Amino acid sequence: MTSSAAGDQAGVVLVQEVDARGRIVALPIGAPFRVGREKANNELVLAQPHISRRHCTLLPEPDGRVRVVDHSGTGTTIRASSDAAALTATERDVATPGQTIVLGNATSLLVLGRAHEGPGKLQAPARLGARLLLSRTLGKGGMGVVFEGWDEAR
């Protein structure tokens, strides 16, 4: 692996839960990130009845896209927008920044793209969705990253 290829593997791709909490999750590039209801075998645990114990695997790529592999009985789909038809996820399907990964029939993860990295710390992406501007990283831990930002519409 060349040094530029190694540099591409460093960093994270950000996804945001589309619910009242809006939690942002950092997915390490080059590492499989498992999502499901079971605590023991998943990096992202979603304790909801329509989520399978081992629902899907997210494979973040250096360009900010996320490859989706479905393992569930309730399905995983990718939507380009809220009114777009859903595409059933197979091993070849990739969600790009701005698209939504829908798990089962209700839980959604919005792909934000690759995070910018500064010396020793993760930097907030400039935008979150169409109207939210992010200004700085407040903290990060085992459950995700917290950013400070504001809604342009308010």
Side-chain angles (χ1 to χ4, degrees), residues 56 68-70 75-78 86-93 101-102:
C56 67
V68 180
V69 181
D70 183 36
T76 303
T77 56
I78 299 170
L87 304 170
T88 301
T90 66
E91 195 166 335
R92 296 181 311 277
D93 289 328
I101 302 166
V102 182

Side-chain angles (χ1 to χ4, degrees), residues 31-81:
F33 196 89
R34 295 172 305 248
V35 179
R37 194 175 63 231
E38 197 171 66
K39 291 181 183 179
N41 296 318
N42 296 294
E43 285 77 28
L44 177 58
V45 176
L46 301 169
Q48 297 163 3
H50 63 276
I51 301 294
S52 298
R53 288 177 298 191
R54 186 172 170 244
H55 198 93
C56 67
T57 301
L58 305 177
L59 303 162
E61 299 184 349
D63 61 3
R65 300 180 308 158
V66 178
R67 187 169 306 280
V68 180
V69 181
D70 183 36
H71 311 293
S72 74
T74 56
T76 303
T77 56
I78 299 170
R79 290 187 182 269
S81 64

Side-chain angles (χ1 to χ4, degrees), residues 1-11 29 62 114:
M1 182 182 298
T2 66
S3 60
S4 64
D8 284 348
Q9 293 301 313
I29 292 172
R114 186 171 180 161

Side-chain angles (χ1 to χ4, degrees), residues 7-8 10-15 24-27 29 61-64 97 112-128 132-140 145-147:
D8 284 348
V12 295
V13 173
L14 301 176
V15 296
I24 295 176
V25 180
L27 312 177
I29 292 172
E61 299 184 349
D63 61 3
L112 302 175
R114 186 171 180 161
H116 307 289
E117 296 173 72
K121 70 180 211 173
L122 186 66
Q123 300 295 313
R127 288 188 130 354
L128 182 61
L132 299 176
L133 295 174
L134 300 178
S135 59
R136 66 186 176 114
T137 304
L138 295 177
K140 66 178 181 175
V145 181
V146 178
F147 297 115

